[in-house]
Amino acid sequence: MTPLTKAIRAKRISNTPPYLFAEIDRKKAAAIEKGIDLISFGIGDPDLPTPKHIVDAMHAAIDDAKTHDYPPYEGTKEFREAVAVWMYKRFGVSIDPVKEAMALIGSKEAIAHIHTALVDKDDVCLIPSPSYPVYRVATIFSEGIPYNMPLKEANGFLPDLKKIPADVLAKAKLIWVNYPNNPTGAVCDLSFYEELVVFAKKNNIIICSDNAYSEMTYDGFVAPSILQVPGAKDVAIEFLSLSKAYNMTGWRLGMAVGNEELIAALGIVKTNTDSGQFKAIQKAGAVALTAPQDSIREMNAIYQKRRDAMVYGLNSLGWNIQPIKGTFYIWAKVPPRFKSSADFCGHVLDETGVVLVPGNGYGDEGEGYFRAAITVSVEKIEEGIRRLKEKSITFK
Ligand SMILES: *Cc1c(COP(=O)(O)O)cnc(C)c1O
């Protein structure tokens, strides 16, 4: 019993739904308790190790006592210069490493903090549905108003900008986009970004582009950066991450690049909230960005095989899924005989021990879908498909 009589939780967190994976973890624990051997297509965390040359750079960096003190708030000069070199080599985009780049403690913190920096009470944030849950929750934490932009399969999971009402646009402060996309696996090409920059300038809206999966693409597709659009830097900030590109999720390193005033605003929140990422990690990150990028090709070849196994497997059970061109997520429809995403994913877990994520966890438009992450081996994927087949879990 708590001796406190006042409400403990601030209003801003009182209505926050439990984090999506908390409920899934509870169900997983119950299944393990029953002795079920799980195959998890749940959380999007790479199962492969960080490439050796990056780990080796970390070993050397940590032995150097000069890395042990507080880092500069905006990131080390070495890391930000590596970001600038990488942005140029990778996208042909020139950025000033001093004013237009900032190191992040993983991109998630900045994706949340940018709302603190930009959003006042009752400002509207245009948020895709389905999407990574942080955009919506961080909008609410800043007392802004999330406006759902439905991502429809018929439109390639791109938002239809023309459908956003004028009164919403008048109050809109920023728009989120994320391609290659979590959870749908959709990609966009540069022409979408061109259209978006025109839209943002016309309506006076800031573009926040989450490019966490920029390097994870297949079939020769190369994901663009919004900063490749001439003039994008007037209105856009882009969040990039070493997590997925170099299997470094636990290291917590990412970068924000783009408009210098947006970077400076983010910097005000960050200097008053955190004290930067460990210099040794930034040294290893600089190596990741500037060394030959073979590890990315090798990793994508592995994911592409897994993607093929998952798509082939589900299609053999009656689904009609097109192979994704980016991310490590398969986004598929729940069979019509189930009443909801949660109903289907619960049934699959109970019957087979296969963990899938219900699509409604990514927003209302995700209802009727599930997400399967290909962060396990081809053998495990085939085993998962076999288990579905054994229990007659087919699309029709
Ligand atoms: C994984 C992920 C991120 C954040 O990754 P960090 O590890 O915090 O850099 C951001 N956006 C999306 C859509 C993601 O899936």
Side-chain angles (χ1 to χ4, degrees), residues 106-108 111 132 135 178 182 210 212-213 241 243-244 252:
S107 62
K108 183 180 186 180
I111 289 170
Y132 186 57
Y135 319 136
N178 165 225
N182 175 9
D210 176 357
Y213 295 92
S241 172
S243 287
K244 316 284 169 38
R252 313 310 302 136

Coordinates of all heavy atoms in Angstrom, one line a residue, residues 106-108 111 132 135 178 182 210 212-213 241 243-244 252, ligand 1:
G106 N 20.9 6.4 -29.6 CA 19.9 5.6 -30.3 C 18.9 6.6 -30.9 O 18.7 7.7 -30.3
S107 N 18.3 6.3 -32.0 CA 17.4 7.4 -32.6 C 16.1 7.5 -31.8 O 15.4 8.5 -31.9 CB 17.1 7.1 -34.1 OG 16.5 5.8 -34.3
K108 N 15.7 6.5 -31.1 CA 14.4 6.5 -30.4 C 14.3 7.7 -29.4 O 13.2 8.4 -29.4 CB 14.2 5.2 -29.6 CG 12.8 5.1 -28.9 CD 12.7 3.8 -28.2 CE 11.4 3.6 -27.6 NZ 11.3 2.3 -26.8
I111 N 13.6 10.8 -31.5 CA 12.3 10.7 -32.1 C 11.3 11.1 -31.1 O 10.3 11.8 -31.4 CB 12.0 9.3 -32.7 CG1 12.9 9.1 -33.9 CG2 10.6 9.1 -33.0 CD1 12.9 7.6 -34.4
Y132 N 5.3 3.1 -36.0 CA 6.2 3.0 -34.8 C 5.5 3.8 -33.7 O 5.2 5.0 -33.9 CB 7.5 3.5 -35.1 CG 8.6 3.4 -34.1 CD1 9.0 2.2 -33.6 CD2 9.4 4.5 -33.7 CE1 10.1 2.1 -32.7 CE2 10.4 4.5 -32.8 CZ 10.8 3.2 -32.3 OH 11.8 3.1 -31.5
Y135 N 6.0 8.0 -32.1 CA 5.5 9.3 -32.7 C 4.3 9.7 -32.0 O 4.1 10.9 -31.6 CB 5.2 9.2 -34.2 CG 6.2 8.4 -35.1 CD1 5.7 7.6 -36.0 CD2 7.5 8.5 -34.9 CE1 6.5 6.8 -36.9 CE2 8.4 7.8 -35.7 CZ 7.9 6.9 -36.7 OH 8.7 6.2 -37.5
N178 N 8.3 7.3 -42.5 CA 9.2 6.3 -42.1 C 9.2 5.3 -43.2 O 8.4 4.4 -43.3 CB 8.8 5.7 -40.8 CG 9.4 4.3 -40.5 OD1 8.8 3.4 -40.0 ND2 10.7 4.2 -40.7
N182 N 8.4 0.4 -40.9 CA 8.0 -0.5 -39.8 C 6.6 0.0 -39.4 O 6.4 1.1 -39.1 CB 8.9 -0.3 -38.6 CG 8.5 -1.1 -37.4 OD1 7.6 -1.9 -37.5 ND2 9.1 -0.9 -36.3
D210 N 12.0 9.3 -40.3 CA 12.6 8.3 -39.6 C 13.1 7.3 -40.6 O 12.4 6.5 -41.2 CB 11.6 7.6 -38.6 CG 12.1 6.5 -37.8 OD1 13.3 6.1 -38.0 OD2 11.3 5.9 -37.0
A212 N 15.3 4.7 -40.0 CA 16.1 3.7 -39.2 C 16.5 2.5 -40.1 O 17.4 1.7 -39.7 CB 15.2 3.2 -38.1
Y213 N 15.7 2.2 -41.2 CA 16.0 1.0 -42.0 C 16.7 1.4 -43.3 O 16.6 0.6 -44.3 CB 14.7 0.2 -42.2 CG 14.2 -0.3 -40.9 CD1 13.2 0.4 -40.2 CD2 14.6 -1.6 -40.5 CE1 12.8 -0.1 -39.0 CE2 14.1 -2.1 -39.2 CZ 13.2 -1.3 -38.5 OH 12.8 -1.8 -37.3
S241 N 20.1 5.6 -37.8 CA 20.5 4.8 -36.7 C 21.5 3.7 -37.1 O 21.4 3.2 -38.2 CB 19.2 4.1 -36.1 OG 19.6 3.2 -35.2
S243 N 21.6 1.1 -35.3 CA 21.0 -0.2 -34.7 C 20.8 -1.3 -35.7 O 21.3 -2.4 -35.5 CB 19.7 0.2 -34.0 OG 19.9 0.9 -32.9
K244 N 20.0 -1.0 -36.7 CA 19.6 -2.1 -37.6 C 20.7 -2.3 -38.7 O 20.9 -3.4 -39.1 CB 18.3 -1.7 -38.3 CG 17.2 -1.2 -37.3 CD 16.5 -2.2 -36.4 CE 15.7 -1.6 -35.3 NZ 14.8 -0.5 -35.4
R252 N 23.2 1.7 -28.7 CA 22.5 3.0 -28.6 C 23.3 4.1 -29.3 O 23.9 4.9 -28.6 CB 22.2 3.4 -27.1 CG 21.5 2.3 -26.2 CD 20.4 1.6 -26.9 NE 19.3 2.5 -27.3 CZ 18.7 2.4 -28.5 NH1 18.9 1.5 -29.4 NH2 17.7 3.3 -28.7
Ligands
LIG1 C1 14.2 0.3 -34.4 C2 13.5 1.5 -34.8 C3 13.9 2.8 -34.4 C4 14.9 3.1 -33.4 O1 16.0 2.5 -33.2 P1 17.2 3.0 -32.3 O2 17.7 1.7 -31.8 O3 16.6 3.8 -31.1 O4 18.1 3.8 -33.1 C5 13.3 3.9 -34.9 N1 12.3 3.9 -35.8 C6 11.8 2.7 -36.2 C7 10.6 2.7 -37.1 C8 12.4 1.5 -35.7 O5 11.8 0.3 -36.0

